[in-house]
Amino acid sequence: MTATGLYVYGVVGAGHPCRLAGLTGVGGPARSVAAGPVTAVVGDATPGLRAKRRHLAAHHAVVESLARQGTVLPMRFGVVSPDEETLRRELTTGADRYQALLSELAGRVELNVKAFPDEEWMLREVVRHEPTVRALRSRASVSLPAQVELGQAVAAALATRQSAVARDVLARLEPLAVRSQQGPPVPGCAVNAGFLVEAGRAGAFAAEVDALRRELDAGVALRCTGPLPAYSFVTDGGASRWAS
């Protein structure tokens, strides 16, 4: 299949080992494109590329391999440069920015934390502790407007409690991280956040998540994923200028 550009996995420094043998990636073997102090790791971009599970897995496999070898600025899935000349020009003009980001991420990893409050537990807590909801429940069967008012009060109380869960989780974990970054909304999720953590403290961070999980008990399910390449702490890295 004819390539339609260069698929970009990430950017590394000129001293990165960049061992790419055996990494097939999304559209064929991965290779490097160097420009002064930085290097992009790329592959052929093919027509009709979609975020299928196998493509996402192939993308992550390349980025993860680079991260094991050294510091990498990982691109999100689907970043494509129209040609090598455009890519080299972006690497050259953005070299200072890329080097600053590489320096910031050196020796650090990302851990992603998601907090899922149990809906039934949240509802019980609202009914038990919210005076407005209790009062409305006592007369909700009287009229349709009262039932609507009760539904609105319950929804507002649930949103308030979900926000409180998010504040508690972030207040506990942010002091252990260099930076944190909110991720996109996830249905039923009070927290979806990436934490940039010193690699040597990743175990301590995970242990704190475990301790917090025990304290929250069955009320909130905490999921901690990582260490990961620092996807959440790299902007588009010039991708808007590469895209065809």
Side-chain angles (χ1 to χ4, degrees):
M1 189 175 292
T2 303
T4 58
L6 295 179
Y7 184 95
V8 186
Y9 296 99
V11 175
V12 299
H16 192 285
C18 221
R19 293 185 289 270
L20 303 176
L23 294 179
T24 56
V26 175
R31 64 185 187 276
S32 61
V33 174
V38 292
T39 296
V41 176
V42 305
D44 290 336
T46 55
L49 181 64
R50 296 290 183 271
K52 297 180 179 178
R53 181 175 297 181
R54 62 188 176 88
H55 291 151
L56 292 169
H59 172 94
H60 184 65
V62 173
V63 173
E64 198 169 46
S65 176
L66 292 170
R68 285 195 297 269
Q69 299 172 43
T71 307
V72 59
L73 306 182
M75 295 294 114
R76 298 282 184 177
F77 179 87
V79 173
V80 175
S81 175
D83 52 55
E84 190 167 312
E85 180 182 354
T86 301
L87 178 57
R88 288 185 188 277
R89 184 166 59 248
E90 165 55 28
L91 292 175
T92 300
T93 58
D96 289 345
R97 182 176 70 256
Y98 292 124
Q99 286 183 292
L101 277 170
L102 286 165
S103 179
E104 180 184 1
L105 298 184
R108 295 167 175 170
V109 295
E110 177 176 344
L111 290 104
N112 174 266
V113 175
K114 291 182 175 65
F116 292 90
D118 181 84
E119 292 184 4
E120 292 186 4
W121 172 80
M122 290 267 286
L123 186 58
R124 287 196 300 270
E125 290 293 294
V126 164
V127 171
R128 184 180 300 122
H129 297 294
E130 295 292 336
T132 301
V133 171
R134 290 204 307 271
L136 288 170
R137 285 188 77 208
S138 67
R139 60 185 179 87
S141 60
V142 174
S143 66
L144 179 59
Q147 293 177 21
V148 171
E149 188 178 1
L150 173 61
Q152 292 173 338
V154 169
L158 286 172
T160 297
R161 286 188 171 267
Q162 189 172 54
S163 295
V165 168
R167 286 195 303 272
D168 291 346
V169 170
L170 293 174
R172 184 73 168 267
L173 298 179
E174 282 181 334
L176 302 178
V178 177
R179 286 173 55 197
S180 65
Q181 178 67 44
Q182 293 294 326
V186 174
C189 187
V191 173
N192 175 26
F195 295 86
L196 185 64
V197 178
E198 300 289 352
R201 300 192 66 192
F205 184 94
E208 188 68 13
V209 173
D210 286 340
L212 183 55
R213 184 184 293 116
R214 290 191 295 271
E215 292 174 23
L216 294 170
D217 197 24
V220 180
L222 280 184
R223 302 178 187 172
C224 182
T225 306
L228 301 166
Y231 287 103
S232 299
F233 301 93
V234 177
T235 60
D236 73 351
S240 60
R241 290 183 291 277
W242 298 348
S244 54

